[in-house]
Amino acid sequence: MVQIGYTMMTEQAGPRDLVEHVVRAEEAGFDFSVISDHYFPWLRAQGHSPYAWSVLGAAAQATSRIPLMTYVTCPTFRYHPAIVAQKAATVQLLSQGRFRLGLGSGENLNEHVVGGGWPSVDVRHERLEEAVEIIRALFAGGHVTRHGAHFDVESARLWDVPETPPPIGVAVSGEQSCRIAGHFADLVIAVEPKAGLLEAFDRHGGEGKPRVGQLPVCYDTDRDAAVKRAHAQFRWFGSGWKVNSELPHPDSFESATQFVTPDDVAGSIPCGEDPEAFVAAVRPYVDAGFTEVALVQIGGQEQEPFLDWSAKTLLPALRDAFG
């Protein structure tokens, strides 16, 4: 059975709305939820970017069943890994064991704000690997002192440690990140339905571990309106991670996507109200071997109708198709 998740997209809704949306997603019957962790939206049209960890604390209290997960947090620039360990442990306690910590090597869009520069992808992966080791050591309890190539930790300890630490997921886009995920993670995260990524994850020790994908969708009873909204807010998505991780500002994404057409977007994102189009979009993830797929409904003001439709139509269609 493939689990179907709901995405709290911080780039397109304010903090109170995000909490209300995940409560409704729990009521609608989604199997899990994830939240993006951004400082900037991708495009100005999205219009939001509250602090994901405050939203998670509120969501943990407002919900009772639905699992929570960062998708994803970069633990190497804006945040020191020792602080990521502390807040992840806290959310695990608040949620009574429903939290998973999704980590990645980051995007310039969000991490440039602290003025540390944006190094090569090799260095970013070195930093991620070191950060995961620090976080795991702190989850284990006791004092941690470490002087590494990128991070120093001086006699740190988590004083509120959950009995079961949050499982750690690592986002992948190529062989290097798959190696880190296979060696150090409890699950793998990807935003493209590429079987090769999962095969590389397995080669490096990931066999049998969960694999979580993500898919943007745009429900609307007016398909033309859905296509227009998807183009306005999500045309950046098809640029690929090698581009998306490097651009520093929403205006950069505006320039990089100026020639993307609504037809281009509609060709890659299911739009409208035909559940079979959404099922067809999920199928490549299932065929590639993903065990979980989180949906992103495009448009902060269109979450409630999407959640109502999901409960009545979309989730039954997806479960009929995939388990």
Side-chain angles (χ1 to χ4, degrees):
M1 179 181 292
V2 175
Q3 294 191 318
I4 303 299
Y6 173 77
T7 299
M8 291 178 276
M9 189 78 170
T10 60
E11 302 93 298
Q12 64 179 15
R16 294 181 66 88
D17 286 339
L18 289 164
V19 175
E20 182 178 333
H21 296 159
V22 76
V23 169
R24 294 285 301 276
E26 181 177 68
E27 294 170 351
F30 280 88
D31 298 311
F32 68 100
S33 67
V34 303
I35 187 170
S36 55
D37 186 352
H38 270 236
Y39 201 92
F40 277 87
W42 298 99
L43 296 169
R44 290 179 181 270
Q46 291 177 312
H48 292 275
S49 200
Y51 184 52
W53 290 88
S54 297
V55 175
L56 279 167
Q61 294 299 287
T63 59
S64 60
R65 175 195 62 80
I66 195 167
L68 306 167
M69 178 180 176
T70 49
Y71 205 100
V72 296
T73 287
C74 175
T76 56
F77 292 93
R78 277 182 297 154
Y79 310 137
H80 190 284
I83 305 305
V84 173
Q86 183 189 33
K87 56 192 180 183
T90 299
V91 173
Q92 179 75 325
L93 290 166
L94 286 170
S95 66
Q96 298 182 302
R98 291 184 284 133
F99 180 64
R100 295 182 292 178
L101 176 61
L103 300 174
S105 57
E107 298 100 18
N108 196 7
L109 176 70
N110 302 302
E111 309 308 325
H112 78 271
V113 297
V114 294
W118 192 238
S120 70
V121 67
D122 289 344
V123 173
R124 302 199 304 264
H125 284 146
E126 288 175 9
R127 293 172 69 94
L128 176 61
E129 185 170 333
E130 193 173 323
V132 174
E133 291 176 338
I134 291 168
I135 292 167
R136 282 211 180 276
L138 287 165
F139 281 170
H143 287 83
V144 174
T145 295
R146 178 188 176 114
H147 301 287
H150 300 286
F151 299 105
D152 291 324
V153 181
E154 194 67 48
S155 190
R157 176 189 171 187
L158 300 182
W159 287 85
D160 290 276
V161 183
E163 183 175 333
T164 301
I168 294 176
V170 168
V172 300
S173 58
E175 188 72 24
Q176 282 187 332
S177 51
C178 286
R179 179 189 61 79
I180 296 170
H183 286 175
F184 295 102
D186 302 301
L187 56 131
V188 68
I189 295 164
V191 295
E192 297 176 285
K194 293 182 176 179
L197 293 175
L198 303 185
E199 291 165 2
F201 176 59
D202 288 346
R203 283 198 306 273
H204 292 292
E207 189 170 355
K209 296 177 182 178
R211 41 217 65 202
V212 188
Q214 190 179 53
L215 172 70
V217 301
C218 199
Y219 165 76
D220 200 295
T221 55
D222 181 340
R223 187 176 184 276
D224 290 341
V227 171
K228 183 178 179 180
R229 186 168 69 250
H231 179 259
Q233 296 194 25
F234 242 79
R235 62 184 181 274
W236 57 272
F237 190 76
S239 300
W241 220 246
K242 289 186 177 180
V243 173
N244 290 344
S245 64
E246 301 294 338
L247 299 179
H249 194 273
D251 292 346
S252 305
F253 283 89
E254 296 280 356
S255 296
T257 59
Q258 62 182 310
F259 299 115
V260 177
T261 69
D263 286 344
D264 293 332
V265 173
S268 59
I269 295 175
C271 296
E273 61 175 342
D274 179 5
E276 292 308 312
F278 290 66
V279 170
V282 171
R283 190 173 302 281
Y285 286 87
V286 178
D287 292 345
F290 285 84
T291 57
E292 305 175 42
V293 181
L295 305 182
V296 186
Q297 163 66 358
I298 298 171
Q301 302 302 313
E302 284 75 29
Q303 299 303 304
E304 289 190 15
F306 168 73
L307 290 166
D308 289 343
W309 178 71
S310 293
K312 296 173 184 175
T313 302
L314 179 59
L315 289 176
L318 290 169
R319 286 171 181 145
D320 283 346
F322 305 121

